[in-house]
Short mmCIF file of all heavy atoms in Angstrom, two decimals:
data_model
loop_
_atom_site.label_atom_id
_atom_site.label_comp_id
_atom_site.label_asym_id
_atom_site.label_seq_id
_atom_site.Cartn_x
_atom_site.Cartn_y
_atom_site.Cartn_z
N MET A 270 39.33 70.52 181.86
CA MET A 270 40.70 70.27 181.43
C MET A 270 40.91 68.71 181.54
O MET A 270 40.95 68.08 182.51
CB MET A 270 41.64 70.90 182.49
CG MET A 270 41.49 72.43 182.59
SD MET A 270 42.89 73.24 183.51
CE MET A 270 44.10 73.23 182.32
N PRO A 271 41.13 68.16 180.23
CA PRO A 271 41.25 66.71 180.17
C PRO A 271 42.50 66.19 181.01
O PRO A 271 42.37 65.08 181.53
CB PRO A 271 41.55 66.52 178.73
CG PRO A 271 40.82 67.66 177.99
CD PRO A 271 41.11 68.90 179.01
N GLU A 272 43.51 67.04 181.01
CA GLU A 272 44.75 66.53 181.77
C GLU A 272 44.56 66.44 183.27
O GLU A 272 45.30 65.83 184.01
CB GLU A 272 45.86 67.39 181.29
CG GLU A 272 46.28 67.15 179.89
CD GLU A 272 47.38 68.18 179.52
OE1 GLU A 272 47.30 69.35 179.89
OE2 GLU A 272 48.31 67.69 178.74
N HIS A 273 43.57 67.24 183.77
CA HIS A 273 43.39 67.43 185.12
C HIS A 273 42.10 66.79 185.64
O HIS A 273 41.82 66.58 186.94
CB HIS A 273 43.45 68.86 185.64
CG HIS A 273 44.72 69.55 185.38
ND1 HIS A 273 44.94 70.84 185.24
CD2 HIS A 273 45.97 69.03 184.97
CE1 HIS A 273 46.14 71.25 184.98
NE2 HIS A 273 46.81 70.05 184.82
N GLY A 274 41.18 66.51 184.77
CA GLY A 274 39.83 65.96 185.09
C GLY A 274 38.98 66.89 185.82
O GLY A 274 38.06 66.47 186.61
N HIS A 275 39.13 68.13 185.59
CA HIS A 275 38.13 69.07 186.20
C HIS A 275 37.60 70.04 185.10
O HIS A 275 38.17 70.30 184.12
CB HIS A 275 38.73 69.84 187.37
CG HIS A 275 39.81 70.79 187.06
ND1 HIS A 275 39.56 72.07 186.43
CD2 HIS A 275 41.13 70.66 187.05
CE1 HIS A 275 40.75 72.66 186.28
NE2 HIS A 275 41.77 71.78 186.53
N GLY A 276 36.51 70.81 185.49
CA GLY A 276 35.92 71.67 184.55
C GLY A 276 36.01 73.12 185.16
O GLY A 276 36.93 73.42 185.96
N LEU A 277 35.25 73.95 184.55
CA LEU A 277 35.28 75.42 184.87
C LEU A 277 34.69 75.53 186.41
O LEU A 277 33.85 74.75 186.82
CB LEU A 277 34.46 76.31 183.97
CG LEU A 277 35.00 76.32 182.60
CD1 LEU A 277 33.88 76.90 181.67
CD2 LEU A 277 36.22 77.21 182.59
N PRO A 278 35.03 76.60 187.05
CA PRO A 278 34.49 76.87 188.34
C PRO A 278 33.15 77.57 188.22
O PRO A 278 32.49 77.86 189.29
CB PRO A 278 35.50 77.77 188.97
CG PRO A 278 36.17 78.44 187.95
CD PRO A 278 36.16 77.49 186.70
N THR A 279 32.69 77.86 187.00
CA THR A 279 31.45 78.50 186.73
C THR A 279 30.52 77.79 185.78
O THR A 279 31.01 76.71 185.22
CB THR A 279 31.72 79.90 186.11
OG1 THR A 279 32.48 79.74 184.87
CG2 THR A 279 32.49 80.89 187.10
N GLN A 280 29.31 78.25 185.67
CA GLN A 280 28.36 77.56 184.78
C GLN A 280 28.00 78.59 183.59
O GLN A 280 27.04 79.28 183.77
CB GLN A 280 27.05 77.15 185.51
CG GLN A 280 27.27 76.19 186.55
CD GLN A 280 27.43 74.78 186.01
OE1 GLN A 280 26.74 74.44 185.07
NE2 GLN A 280 28.22 73.91 186.69
N PRO A 281 28.79 78.59 182.59
CA PRO A 281 28.56 79.60 181.52
C PRO A 281 27.16 79.33 180.78
O PRO A 281 26.80 78.20 180.65
CB PRO A 281 29.70 79.43 180.56
CG PRO A 281 30.77 78.74 181.29
CD PRO A 281 30.02 77.90 182.36
N GLU A 282 26.66 80.36 180.20
CA GLU A 282 25.42 80.24 179.53
C GLU A 282 25.23 81.31 178.49
O GLU A 282 25.83 82.39 178.60
CB GLU A 282 24.16 80.08 180.39
CG GLU A 282 23.96 81.34 181.24
CD GLU A 282 22.87 81.16 182.12
OE1 GLU A 282 21.77 80.80 181.67
OE2 GLU A 282 23.05 81.39 183.35
N ALA A 283 24.43 80.99 177.36
CA ALA A 283 24.15 81.97 176.35
C ALA A 283 23.17 82.92 176.98
O ALA A 283 21.98 82.48 177.39
CB ALA A 283 23.60 81.32 175.16
N THR A 284 23.45 84.21 176.98
CA THR A 284 22.65 85.18 177.59
C THR A 284 21.88 86.07 176.80
O THR A 284 20.85 86.74 177.01
CB THR A 284 23.34 85.97 178.66
OG1 THR A 284 24.40 86.67 178.01
CG2 THR A 284 23.88 85.22 179.83
N GLU A 285 22.35 86.10 175.43
CA GLU A 285 21.72 87.04 174.47
C GLU A 285 22.03 86.55 173.11
O GLU A 285 23.15 86.19 172.75
CB GLU A 285 22.35 88.46 174.66
CG GLU A 285 21.60 89.48 173.86
CD GLU A 285 22.24 90.87 174.14
OE1 GLU A 285 22.99 91.09 175.17
OE2 GLU A 285 22.00 91.79 173.45
N TYR A 286 21.11 86.74 172.19
CA TYR A 286 21.27 86.52 170.85
C TYR A 286 21.58 87.80 170.19
O TYR A 286 20.91 88.86 170.36
CB TYR A 286 19.97 85.97 170.18
CG TYR A 286 20.22 85.73 168.62
CD1 TYR A 286 21.05 84.89 168.18
CD2 TYR A 286 19.33 86.44 167.68
CE1 TYR A 286 21.24 84.62 166.80
CE2 TYR A 286 19.44 86.23 166.39
CZ TYR A 286 20.44 85.31 165.92
OH TYR A 286 20.57 85.17 164.53
N LEU A 287 22.78 87.82 169.47
CA LEU A 287 23.31 89.13 168.89
C LEU A 287 22.95 89.29 167.51
O LEU A 287 23.29 90.21 166.83
CB LEU A 287 24.80 89.14 169.13
CG LEU A 287 25.38 88.98 170.61
CD1 LEU A 287 26.81 88.83 170.52
CD2 LEU A 287 24.95 90.04 171.40
N GLY A 288 22.26 88.14 166.88
CA GLY A 288 21.92 88.29 165.51
C GLY A 288 23.01 87.67 164.63
O GLY A 288 24.19 87.51 165.07
N ASP A 289 22.69 87.36 163.34
CA ASP A 289 23.52 86.84 162.44
C ASP A 289 24.22 85.55 162.93
O ASP A 289 25.33 85.24 162.65
CB ASP A 289 24.61 87.87 162.08
CG ASP A 289 25.46 87.54 160.87
OD1 ASP A 289 24.79 86.87 159.79
OD2 ASP A 289 26.54 87.93 160.63
N GLY A 290 23.51 84.81 163.74
CA GLY A 290 23.97 83.45 164.14
C GLY A 290 24.92 83.54 165.35
O GLY A 290 25.56 82.56 165.71
N LYS A 291 25.06 84.79 165.95
CA LYS A 291 26.02 84.92 167.05
C LYS A 291 25.26 85.10 168.43
O LYS A 291 24.19 85.66 168.47
CB LYS A 291 26.92 86.19 166.78
CG LYS A 291 27.72 86.09 165.59
CD LYS A 291 28.42 87.41 165.27
CE LYS A 291 29.19 87.34 164.02
NZ LYS A 291 29.87 88.63 163.68
N TYR A 292 25.85 84.47 169.45
CA TYR A 292 25.26 84.58 170.77
C TYR A 292 26.30 85.06 171.66
O TYR A 292 27.53 84.83 171.61
CB TYR A 292 24.81 83.17 171.21
CG TYR A 292 23.66 82.59 170.46
CD1 TYR A 292 23.86 81.98 169.20
CD2 TYR A 292 22.43 82.81 170.93
CE1 TYR A 292 22.77 81.53 168.49
CE2 TYR A 292 21.24 82.31 170.26
CZ TYR A 292 21.49 81.72 168.93
OH TYR A 292 20.40 81.26 168.17
N LEU A 293 25.93 85.79 172.78
CA LEU A 293 26.69 86.25 173.87
C LEU A 293 26.75 85.10 174.90
O LEU A 293 25.80 84.66 175.42
CB LEU A 293 26.19 87.46 174.46
CG LEU A 293 27.00 88.10 175.67
CD1 LEU A 293 28.44 88.40 175.24
CD2 LEU A 293 26.30 89.22 176.27
N ILE A 294 27.97 84.72 175.16
CA ILE A 294 28.18 83.64 176.17
C ILE A 294 28.88 84.26 177.39
O ILE A 294 29.92 84.95 177.33
CB ILE A 294 29.15 82.45 175.71
CG1 ILE A 294 28.69 81.93 174.43
CG2 ILE A 294 29.30 81.40 176.79
CD1 ILE A 294 27.36 81.09 174.43
N GLU A 295 28.21 84.27 178.57
CA GLU A 295 28.69 84.79 179.83
C GLU A 295 28.99 83.81 180.82
O GLU A 295 28.30 82.81 180.86
CB GLU A 295 27.77 85.87 180.36
CG GLU A 295 27.58 87.07 179.38
CD GLU A 295 26.74 88.20 179.97
OE1 GLU A 295 25.54 87.98 180.20
OE2 GLU A 295 27.36 89.22 180.28
N GLY A 296 29.96 84.16 181.68
CA GLY A 296 30.24 83.25 182.84
C GLY A 296 31.42 82.31 182.56
O GLY A 296 31.59 81.37 183.36
N LEU A 297 32.17 82.46 181.46
CA LEU A 297 33.30 81.69 181.23
C LEU A 297 34.49 82.14 182.14
O LEU A 297 34.95 83.35 181.99
CB LEU A 297 33.80 81.71 179.77
CG LEU A 297 33.27 80.66 178.86
CD1 LEU A 297 33.64 81.10 177.41
CD2 LEU A 297 33.88 79.39 179.14
N LYS A 298 34.77 81.45 183.13
CA LYS A 298 35.99 81.81 184.05
C LYS A 298 36.88 80.66 184.21
O LYS A 298 36.48 79.56 184.63
CB LYS A 298 35.49 82.21 185.37
CG LYS A 298 36.42 82.77 186.38
CD LYS A 298 35.90 83.12 187.61
CE LYS A 298 36.91 83.76 188.52
NZ LYS A 298 36.42 84.19 189.81
N PHE A 299 38.16 80.92 183.65
CA PHE A 299 39.17 79.74 183.73
C PHE A 299 39.92 79.96 185.03
O PHE A 299 40.38 81.06 185.40
CB PHE A 299 40.03 80.01 182.49
CG PHE A 299 39.29 79.81 181.18
CD1 PHE A 299 38.92 80.88 180.55
CD2 PHE A 299 39.13 78.57 180.64
CE1 PHE A 299 38.27 80.82 179.32
CE2 PHE A 299 38.35 78.46 179.49
CZ PHE A 299 38.01 79.44 178.81
N SER A 300 40.06 78.85 185.69
CA SER A 300 40.71 78.77 187.00
C SER A 300 42.25 78.64 186.87
O SER A 300 43.01 78.78 187.77
CB SER A 300 40.21 77.60 187.86
OG SER A 300 40.37 76.37 187.11
N MET A 301 42.76 78.30 185.59
CA MET A 301 44.19 78.08 185.50
C MET A 301 44.54 78.10 183.99
O MET A 301 43.65 77.75 183.08
CB MET A 301 44.62 76.83 186.18
CG MET A 301 44.01 75.61 185.69
SD MET A 301 44.29 74.11 186.65
CE MET A 301 46.05 74.02 186.74
N PRO A 302 45.79 78.33 183.60
CA PRO A 302 46.25 78.17 182.17
C PRO A 302 46.38 76.72 181.95
O PRO A 302 46.46 75.77 182.76
CB PRO A 302 47.64 78.92 182.24
CG PRO A 302 48.08 78.83 183.62
CD PRO A 302 46.88 78.85 184.54
N GLY A 303 46.46 76.49 180.57
CA GLY A 303 46.67 75.01 180.13
C GLY A 303 45.62 74.67 179.02
O GLY A 303 44.94 75.57 178.41
N TRP A 304 45.44 73.39 178.75
CA TRP A 304 44.69 72.91 177.71
C TRP A 304 43.24 72.73 178.31
O TRP A 304 42.99 71.93 179.19
CB TRP A 304 45.22 71.52 177.22
CG TRP A 304 44.29 70.90 176.28
CD1 TRP A 304 43.52 71.44 175.26
CD2 TRP A 304 44.09 69.38 176.17
NE1 TRP A 304 42.81 70.48 174.56
CE2 TRP A 304 43.23 69.18 175.05
CE3 TRP A 304 44.63 68.40 176.86
CZ2 TRP A 304 42.76 67.89 174.64
CZ3 TRP A 304 44.19 67.07 176.38
CH2 TRP A 304 43.40 66.88 175.38
N TRP A 305 42.32 73.45 177.66
CA TRP A 305 40.88 73.32 177.92
C TRP A 305 40.11 72.79 176.77
O TRP A 305 40.58 73.10 175.54
CB TRP A 305 40.28 74.68 178.40
CG TRP A 305 40.86 75.24 179.67
CD1 TRP A 305 41.89 75.93 179.85
CD2 TRP A 305 40.16 75.14 180.85
NE1 TRP A 305 42.06 76.25 181.15
CE2 TRP A 305 40.98 75.78 181.85
CE3 TRP A 305 38.92 74.55 181.35
CZ2 TRP A 305 40.67 75.85 183.18
CZ3 TRP A 305 38.60 74.58 182.62
CH2 TRP A 305 39.47 75.25 183.58
N VAL A 306 39.10 72.09 176.98
CA VAL A 306 38.06 71.68 175.92
C VAL A 306 36.82 72.30 176.32
O VAL A 306 36.25 72.06 177.33
CB VAL A 306 38.01 70.16 175.83
CG1 VAL A 306 36.96 69.78 174.79
CG2 VAL A 306 39.25 69.52 175.44
N ILE A 307 36.27 73.24 175.39
CA ILE A 307 35.04 73.95 175.56
C ILE A 307 34.02 73.24 174.80
O ILE A 307 34.11 73.16 173.48
CB ILE A 307 35.25 75.36 175.20
CG1 ILE A 307 36.48 76.00 175.81
CG2 ILE A 307 33.95 76.19 175.44
CD1 ILE A 307 36.38 76.05 177.35
N LYS A 308 32.92 72.76 175.40
CA LYS A 308 31.94 72.05 174.68
C LYS A 308 30.59 72.70 174.83
O LYS A 308 30.20 73.11 175.94
CB LYS A 308 31.72 70.62 175.30
CG LYS A 308 30.70 69.78 174.80
CD LYS A 308 30.70 68.32 175.49
CE LYS A 308 29.56 67.53 175.14
NZ LYS A 308 29.51 66.32 175.91
N PHE A 309 29.94 73.06 173.66
CA PHE A 309 28.76 73.77 173.71
C PHE A 309 27.58 72.78 173.29
O PHE A 309 27.70 72.18 172.21
CB PHE A 309 28.68 74.85 172.63
CG PHE A 309 29.61 76.01 172.90
CD1 PHE A 309 30.89 76.02 172.49
CD2 PHE A 309 29.11 77.14 173.60
CE1 PHE A 309 31.73 77.13 172.83
CE2 PHE A 309 29.93 78.16 173.91
CZ PHE A 309 31.24 78.21 173.58
N ASN A 310 26.64 72.77 174.15
CA ASN A 310 25.44 71.93 173.86
C ASN A 310 24.36 72.86 173.33
O ASN A 310 23.94 73.77 173.99
CB ASN A 310 24.87 71.24 175.18
CG ASN A 310 25.84 70.21 175.67
OD1 ASN A 310 26.22 69.29 174.99
ND2 ASN A 310 26.28 70.43 176.92
N ILE A 311 24.00 72.64 172.10
CA ILE A 311 23.08 73.47 171.34
C ILE A 311 21.75 72.85 171.06
O ILE A 311 21.76 71.71 170.54
CB ILE A 311 23.76 73.94 169.93
CG1 ILE A 311 25.17 74.48 170.28
CG2 ILE A 311 22.85 74.87 169.19
CD1 ILE A 311 26.06 74.56 169.07
N ALA A 312 20.67 73.54 171.36
CA ALA A 312 19.40 72.90 171.22
C ALA A 312 18.41 74.09 170.59
O ALA A 312 18.53 75.16 170.97
CB ALA A 312 18.83 72.44 172.51
N SER A 313 17.59 73.66 169.67
CA SER A 313 16.64 74.42 169.04
C SER A 313 15.43 73.62 168.73
O SER A 313 15.53 72.64 167.83
CB SER A 313 17.15 75.14 167.82
OG SER A 313 16.20 76.04 167.24
N GLY A 314 14.38 73.83 169.34
CA GLY A 314 13.23 73.00 169.10
C GLY A 314 13.55 71.60 169.43
O GLY A 314 13.91 71.29 170.58
N SER A 315 13.27 70.67 168.46
CA SER A 315 13.58 69.26 168.74
C SER A 315 14.95 68.82 168.29
O SER A 315 15.29 67.58 168.39
CB SER A 315 12.49 68.35 168.02
OG SER A 315 12.59 68.56 166.57
N GLN A 316 15.73 69.82 167.85
CA GLN A 316 17.08 69.42 167.25
C GLN A 316 18.19 69.85 168.26
O GLN A 316 17.99 70.87 169.04
CB GLN A 316 17.36 70.17 165.98
CG GLN A 316 16.36 69.71 164.82
CD GLN A 316 16.72 70.29 163.58
OE1 GLN A 316 17.53 71.18 163.41
NE2 GLN A 316 16.18 69.72 162.52
N GLN A 317 19.20 68.95 168.32
CA GLN A 317 20.32 69.19 169.19
C GLN A 317 21.64 68.98 168.49
O GLN A 317 21.64 68.12 167.56
CB GLN A 317 20.29 68.20 170.37
CG GLN A 317 18.96 68.44 171.32
CD GLN A 317 19.10 67.38 172.49
OE1 GLN A 317 19.91 66.70 172.61
NE2 GLN A 317 18.00 67.47 173.25
N ASP A 318 22.60 69.62 168.93
CA ASP A 318 23.97 69.42 168.31
C ASP A 318 25.03 69.83 169.39
O ASP A 318 24.69 70.39 170.43
CB ASP A 318 24.24 70.30 167.12
CG ASP A 318 25.16 69.62 166.12
OD1 ASP A 318 25.95 68.65 166.55
OD2 ASP A 318 25.32 70.21 164.94
N ILE A 319 26.25 69.43 169.13
CA ILE A 319 27.32 69.64 170.06
C ILE A 319 28.44 70.27 169.28
O ILE A 319 28.82 69.81 168.18
CB ILE A 319 27.82 68.44 170.78
CG1 ILE A 319 26.73 67.90 171.69
CG2 ILE A 319 29.11 68.73 171.67
CD1 ILE A 319 27.00 66.55 172.31
N ALA A 320 29.08 71.36 169.78
CA ALA A 320 30.36 71.96 169.13
C ALA A 320 31.44 71.87 170.23
O ALA A 320 31.17 72.30 171.28
CB ALA A 320 30.07 73.35 168.70
N VAL A 321 32.58 71.42 169.80
CA VAL A 321 33.73 71.18 170.76
C VAL A 321 34.91 72.06 170.21
O VAL A 321 35.30 71.93 169.07
CB VAL A 321 34.12 69.76 170.87
CG1 VAL A 321 35.30 69.68 171.79
CG2 VAL A 321 32.92 68.97 171.42
N PHE A 322 35.50 72.82 171.11
CA PHE A 322 36.69 73.58 170.76
C PHE A 322 37.84 73.32 171.66
O PHE A 322 37.60 73.17 172.92
CB PHE A 322 36.36 75.08 170.82
CG PHE A 322 35.40 75.61 169.95
CD1 PHE A 322 33.99 75.54 170.30
CD2 PHE A 322 35.63 76.00 168.67
CE1 PHE A 322 33.03 75.98 169.39
CE2 PHE A 322 34.61 76.44 167.77
CZ PHE A 322 33.36 76.48 168.20
N ASN A 323 39.03 73.12 171.21
CA ASN A 323 40.18 73.03 171.97
C ASN A 323 40.83 74.45 172.25
O ASN A 323 40.93 75.18 171.24
CB ASN A 323 41.16 72.13 171.28
CG ASN A 323 40.77 70.68 171.51
OD1 ASN A 323 41.00 70.06 172.47
ND2 ASN A 323 40.19 70.13 170.42
N LEU A 324 41.30 74.69 173.41
CA LEU A 324 41.78 76.01 173.69
C LEU A 324 42.98 75.77 174.54
O LEU A 324 42.97 75.22 175.58
CB LEU A 324 40.60 76.72 174.49
CG LEU A 324 40.88 78.19 174.99
CD1 LEU A 324 40.88 79.09 173.71
CD2 LEU A 324 39.87 78.58 175.92
N LEU A 325 44.10 76.56 174.14
CA LEU A 325 45.33 76.52 174.85
C LEU A 325 45.46 77.86 175.54
O LEU A 325 45.82 78.85 174.87
CB LEU A 325 46.55 76.21 174.07
CG LEU A 325 47.88 76.10 174.74
CD1 LEU A 325 47.70 75.00 175.85
CD2 LEU A 325 48.93 75.60 173.80
N LEU A 326 45.26 77.86 176.83
CA LEU A 326 45.30 79.20 177.50
C LEU A 326 46.56 79.40 178.20
O LEU A 326 47.07 78.51 178.95
CB LEU A 326 44.18 79.15 178.67
CG LEU A 326 43.85 80.37 179.41
CD1 LEU A 326 43.32 81.37 178.40
CD2 LEU A 326 42.89 80.23 180.42
N LYS A 327 47.30 80.47 177.73
CA LYS A 327 48.70 80.73 178.29
C LYS A 327 48.59 81.71 179.32
O LYS A 327 47.83 82.61 179.34
CB LYS A 327 49.58 81.13 177.08
CG LYS A 327 49.70 80.08 176.05
CD LYS A 327 50.70 80.56 175.04
CE LYS A 327 50.99 79.40 173.92
NZ LYS A 327 51.88 79.82 172.95
N GLU A 328 49.61 81.79 180.31
CA GLU A 328 49.74 82.75 181.40
C GLU A 328 50.06 84.06 180.80
O GLU A 328 50.80 84.17 179.86
CB GLU A 328 50.78 82.21 182.39
CG GLU A 328 50.30 81.21 183.29
CD GLU A 328 51.22 80.87 184.37
OE1 GLU A 328 51.45 81.73 185.33
OE2 GLU A 328 51.85 79.79 184.44
CU1 LIG B 314 43.39 72.25 185.60
#
């Protein structure tokens, strides 16, 4: 949470490839509502990339 300077209370990870470019991400647990920035570090072989999503979580 950029406004609070803290992250998730968990360590999410990709646990399964579902096919067609989709992955199952488990362990996402939000501790509070508000603005979250979700950042995925993606690696395959020698290549790396980052995908960033803004998320507004409402109560
Ligand atoms: Cu917070």
Side-chain angles (χ1 to χ4, degrees):
M270 296 191 84
E272 294 172 320
H273 299 163
H275 67 79
L277 293 169
T279 56
Q280 296 282 324
E282 57 184 311
T284 56
E285 185 179 347
Y286 179 59
L287 302 174
D289 198 27
K291 298 176 184 176
Y292 292 83
L293 176 65
I294 307 296
E295 293 187 294
L297 268 170
K298 183 176 182 178
F299 297 96
S300 54
M301 59 192 305
W304 174 35
W305 289 86
V306 176
I307 308 299
K308 180 177 170 184
F309 291 90
N310 295 304
I311 304 161
S313 178
S315 62
Q316 298 188 344
Q317 298 181 0
D318 206 348
I319 295 172
V321 179
F322 298 89
N323 284 279
L324 182 71
L325 185 57
L326 191 63
K327 298 184 177 181
E328 281 187 74

